[in-house]
Amino acid sequence: FQQDYFTDENRVLKKDPQQDYHLEYAMENSTHTVLGFSRELHTCDTNDKSITESTVRVIWAYHHKDMGEAGQNYHGSNRGTKSLRLLNPEKEEVSSASLPYFDLTNKDVPVPDKDTTYWCQMFKIPVQHEKHHVTKVEPLIQKGHENLVHHILLYQCSSNLNDSVLDYGHECYHPNMPDSFLTCETVIFAWAIGGEGFTYPPHVGLSIGTAADPQFVLMEVHYDNPSYTEGLIDNSGLRLFYTPVIRKYDAGVIEAGLWVSLFHNIPPGMPEFVSEGHCTLECLEEALSAERPAGIHVFAVLLHAHLAGRAIRMRHFHNGEEQKLLAYDDEFDFNFQEFQYLKEERTILPGDNLITECHYSTVDRIRMTWGGLSTRNEMCLSYLLYYPRINLTRCASIPDIMEQLQFIGVKEIYRPVRQTWPFIIKSPKQYKNLSFMDAMNKFKWSRSEGLSYNELVLKLPVNVRCSKTDNAEWSIQGMTALPPEIERPYKTEPVICSPSSCLHCGLFPTLLFVIHVTASTIGNIGPFV
């Protein structure tokens, strides 16, 4: 017995007059109850959510007794929620059981009792002198630390280092961190909270073992400790499976979006604010024309923001004409960030440009939100996995700051000799001797002012970031470019929904759900919500 119900703001279950969920099969034994049911992706039913490629928060609950005439039984503790990407295309899973692997893990790192810590540890890749391909990467998160470890980045470091850099780890972005850490600029893998292992497509692998490949890598672990818990010791990291059977292409990673800095900022009290990071036409033109005029092929994307993030889109333009979104998540969940496999590989050519578009909500904040490393700060980044590998590691932008200052009424600034960043305000009087951050926080932000500010920042000139490996730069790096004139907001493709009566007409996409419940106390199949 299975029916389609929905719930209201009072958490009361109501039978849906339009029955869109259809039981396909059910089975049960002494330990498991299994239900398989299907539904159209778009049902035209106001009581249903459309199912898209965005994150879906699946809520489940059950009771060990069947629903009686009095209605549903309260589920008690038999409930939960999980963020999933239901339409993420299935990857071709190649068994890694027989493959060799190596682990890159922290060793008894004392996590400070503070909000945010970035810990860096240098490693030497154990596979040397012969080319291999990494085919799968799995996170190794210490049990109980699933919410502590927010993300892990793996960087390629200078090939001129020696084993002396391997002795110890250190807090990243710290004035006293080792100079060797500064040589590690090229991201070769990224994992974020909620994500699972990543398997490369069968024709692509992460190359290791040759002179052009990473010999020394830096693992950066972001610890998020908002409760300031003391005495935490962590041993998390990554496991890399590899094979001597060489694949056709070497994989690369491009970090795109907004360069993380205070120049990226969001006013308080805004139900929606949009930031854009530009992988500019100028950067892609220079790098691709020199390295790969036929273009590169993107096969997966990781979209990354922090707590204020609500939606992220990766917009793609070819010769000024907008293409289908490269990747998107209109239901962004800070606690669930993983690589999206593209249904079809996307070619990026000279003449293209990419925009990482991030939507934020700061309605619960009374001060500015700044671009920065803490989860209470913000980011707007996309990590593109692609092949064949070229010498382009970062394609990003920074918005111009002077017009941001002019917006709040700043007239004069000066740069004191001992001031580290980046200036002090001279006039007008209400901002005199204040820093940029203090002045922006002092400004009386209203929603209308926030909207006007948003319109301004989206049109500001941007400083181009266009980086190579080993801290080298393409010539366009540091140049100023104007953002392209584009349609805002992005026009989503119209949804074609289908009524329940058309379920088996074969014209509309249908999703099959399978639920496994492990519970020896379950009798006959009860109501599932």
Side-chain angles (χ1 to χ4, degrees), residues 201-315:
H203 55 299
V204 186
L206 175 63
S207 183
I208 55 174
T210 77
D213 297 330
Q215 297 175 42
F216 293 90
V217 294
L218 183 77
M219 186 174 73
E220 171 192 293
V221 180
H222 174 187
Y223 294 111
D224 185 34
N225 186 14
S227 58
Y228 298 86
T229 304
E230 297 180 359
L232 294 171
I233 303 294
D234 184 67
N235 293 277
S236 300
L238 299 170
R239 172 166 292 173
L240 286 75
F241 294 87
Y242 63 95
T243 175
V245 181
I246 305 305
R247 297 180 168 190
K248 188 172 182 180
Y249 298 107
D250 293 343
V253 181
I254 296 173
E255 180 184 280
L258 265 170
W259 179 265
V260 179
S261 76
L262 299 178
F263 292 18
H264 173 212
N265 47 75
I266 307 162
M270 298 298 295
E272 176 162 278
F273 189 91
V274 180
S275 300
E276 291 177 352
H278 295 270
C279 177
T280 63
L281 181 148
E282 292 85 355
C283 177
L284 287 176
E285 183 80 41
E286 182 179 9
L288 288 172
S289 295
E291 296 262 324
R292 181 76 179 178
I296 56 174
H297 307 283
V298 178
F299 59 88
V301 178
L302 172 69
L303 303 171
H304 184 63
H306 284 173
L307 285 167
R310 296 296 179 269
I312 310 178
R313 296 172 184 149
M314 187 67 164
R315 301 176 70 172

Side-chain angles (χ1 to χ4, degrees), residues 18 20 41-48 50 495-500:
Q18 181 175 315
D20 294 303
L41 301 184
H42 313 291
T43 63
C44 307
D45 187 349
T46 55
N47 296 320
D48 293 341
S50 282
V495 168
I496 301 174
C497 56
S498 56
S500 179

Side-chain angles (χ1 to χ4, degrees), residues 386-402:
Y386 72 94
Y387 68 88
R389 181 178 62 186
I390 63 172
N391 197 359
L392 176 64
T393 62
R394 181 176 288 115
C395 184
S397 68
I398 308 173
D400 180 73
I401 195 172
M402 295 314 296

Side-chain angles (χ1 to χ4, degrees), residues 22 57 59 61 131-132 185 202 231 286 297 371 373 398-399 407 496:
H22 297 264
R57 290 162 177 81
I59 303 169
K131 186 178 180 75
H132 291 71
E185 283 283 322
E286 182 179 9
H297 307 283
L373 301 176
I398 308 173
F407 181 87
I496 301 174

